[in-house]
Amino acid sequence: MKSNVSFVSRLGAITYDFFLVFSLVFCTGLVVNLIIQDSTNNPLYFFLMLLLTYGYFALSWVKGRQTLGMKAWKFEIMQADRKSITYAQSLGRFVLALLSLVGVGFIFQFFNKDRLPLHDYFSKTYLQSTKK
């Protein structure tokens, strides 16, 4: 299945979601730091923020097929059989998306026939436009 979502639309959704996730992590971090003084030096703090970030994406992808950024840019994520993705796929996609954010994964998108970045290619997920 070939993705029909442009690179620009992907970047738009990423930017939108970045600000949402930043706000979520910032507010949660503020509360945690008020409860546990100097918690930012604790490795568990980093793990909690990473888990919170993954939770936002996983729930959005698995339950609703869209993050708020994807909804704003009018596309959704699915498997080749048009079913919702699984939590296992969302974890693989999330981990590999970190490589995509540094550029490696998105360059891959320009060199494969299905126009899939690294994280979609290996997690067997596809982005499809919801525009009518």
Side-chain angles (χ1 to χ4, degrees):
M1 181 176 215
K2 186 174 183 176
S3 177
N4 64 356
V5 176
S6 73
F7 178 68
V8 173
S9 293
R10 287 177 186 267
L11 288 181
I14 289 167
T15 303
Y16 193 105
D17 285 327
F18 170 79
F19 287 111
L20 290 168
V21 169
F22 177 83
S23 300
L24 181 65
V25 167
F26 182 82
C27 291
T28 303
L30 181 65
V31 170
V32 169
N33 208 31
L34 287 173
I35 295 169
I36 305 168
Q37 295 286 320
D38 203 28
S39 61
T40 55
N41 292 331
N42 189 331
L44 289 175
Y45 178 83
F46 174 76
F47 180 74
L48 174 66
M49 296 304 127
L50 190 62
L51 189 61
L52 182 66
T53 302
Y54 169 68
Y56 166 75
F57 286 104
L59 287 173
S60 298
W61 293 334
V62 173
K63 296 296 181 189
R65 290 190 175 189
Q66 298 173 304
T67 62
L68 291 174
M70 293 164 78
K71 190 172 198 141
W73 283 85
K74 296 182 177 24
F75 61 89
E76 64 185 4
I77 188 169
M78 65 187 72
Q79 298 183 58
D81 60 5
R82 305 197 59 83
K83 290 183 181 176
S84 295
I85 70 171
T86 65
Y87 283 105
Q89 286 174 304
S90 72
L91 180 60
R93 189 175 195 272
F94 180 78
V95 170
L96 288 172
L98 298 175
L99 288 175
S100 291
L101 287 176
V102 296
V104 175
F106 287 116
I107 292 170
F108 185 79
Q109 175 180 355
F110 298 111
F111 297 103
N112 69 73
K113 64 180 172 70
D114 293 327
R115 297 180 45 194
L116 298 174
L118 195 68
H119 53 278
D120 283 331
Y121 183 83
F122 284 107
S123 65
K124 295 181 178 23
T125 59
Y126 302 88
L127 298 180
Q128 290 296 304
S129 175
T130 58
K131 295 177 186 173
K132 306 281 187 231

